[in-house]
Amino acid sequence: MAASVVLGLSPGNTSGVMAASSTRLHFRTKLNSELGFLTSQLGGIKISSNNSPIPSAPISAPLRPALQPVARRVCPFTGKKANKKNLVSFSNHKTKKLQFVNLQYKKVWWEAGKRFVKLRLSTKALKTIEKNGLDAVAKKAGIDLRKE
């Protein structure tokens, strides 16, 4: 079999390519009547036919992201984020490390909205909110509490 593949790859012998590829890859397509589309065994490509029993989705359908967005480790009130540091061993070998912000999920009473607001904030921002008030800190950071 290996000899036919080597012979098939030579530029002058195209019949060997067809013989080797047709025996190994099986270029067959079949019509799946209950689903109404052609399926290729080589790449799994689906080609829809005109007499499809399943209605196709409208083109103007909204697209949903495949992955949900991941919350970053950044405090929205203070802007604190991870700090890079070196771990230094006895032999003075330096290894990179990240010092993350101490973020906490906290329900804070919002006086203007007369309700609790669930926030993910750093402990430093929590102390600042206790000192200055939630409205003042949110206004300074440019955060709208009504949509949260």
Side-chain angles (χ1 to χ4, degrees):
M1 188 60 107
S4 66
V5 172
V6 172
L7 291 174
L9 292 178
S10 65
N13 188 0
T14 57
S15 63
V17 172
M18 291 303 290
S21 61
S22 64
T23 57
R24 295 183 76 191
L25 298 178
H26 305 288
F27 287 111
R28 290 180 296 182
T29 57
K30 58 185 176 180
L31 177 64
N32 194 344
S33 62
E34 60 264 1
L35 294 179
F37 52 80
L38 294 172
T39 306
S40 169
Q41 289 182 348
L42 178 63
I45 301 170
K46 296 179 180 178
I47 305 167
S48 61
S49 63
N50 291 339
N51 56 3
S52 170
I54 300 172
S56 62
I59 296 174
S60 63
L63 295 175
R64 293 183 183 160
L67 299 173
Q68 297 294 327
V70 178
R72 294 177 51 205
R73 295 178 183 175
V74 176
C75 177
F77 289 94
T78 59
K80 287 180 168 280
K81 57 185 178 181
N83 182 36
K84 293 177 185 173
K85 76 167 192 173
N86 284 328
L87 291 174
V88 182
S89 68
F90 179 75
S91 64
N92 207 22
H93 184 267
K94 294 170 182 69
T95 306
K96 303 284 186 193
K97 189 177 188 308
L98 285 176
Q99 294 173 325
F100 292 110
V101 182
N102 188 7
L103 292 176
Q104 305 292 325
Y105 286 99
K106 191 76 178 168
K107 283 200 277 188
V108 182
W109 178 254
W110 181 32
E111 190 64 38
K114 303 289 188 218
R115 64 182 174 100
F116 282 99
V117 180
K118 189 174 181 182
L119 301 170
R120 185 178 189 212
L121 42 85
S122 64
T123 51
K124 179 69 176 178
L126 188 60
K127 288 173 70 175
T128 308
I129 288 171
E130 288 177 2
K131 181 180 176 184
N132 299 333
L134 182 60
D135 284 327
V137 176
K139 184 178 179 182
K140 185 177 179 182
I143 296 173
D144 185 18
L145 296 172
R146 289 177 286 161
K147 62 183 177 181
E148 295 193 31

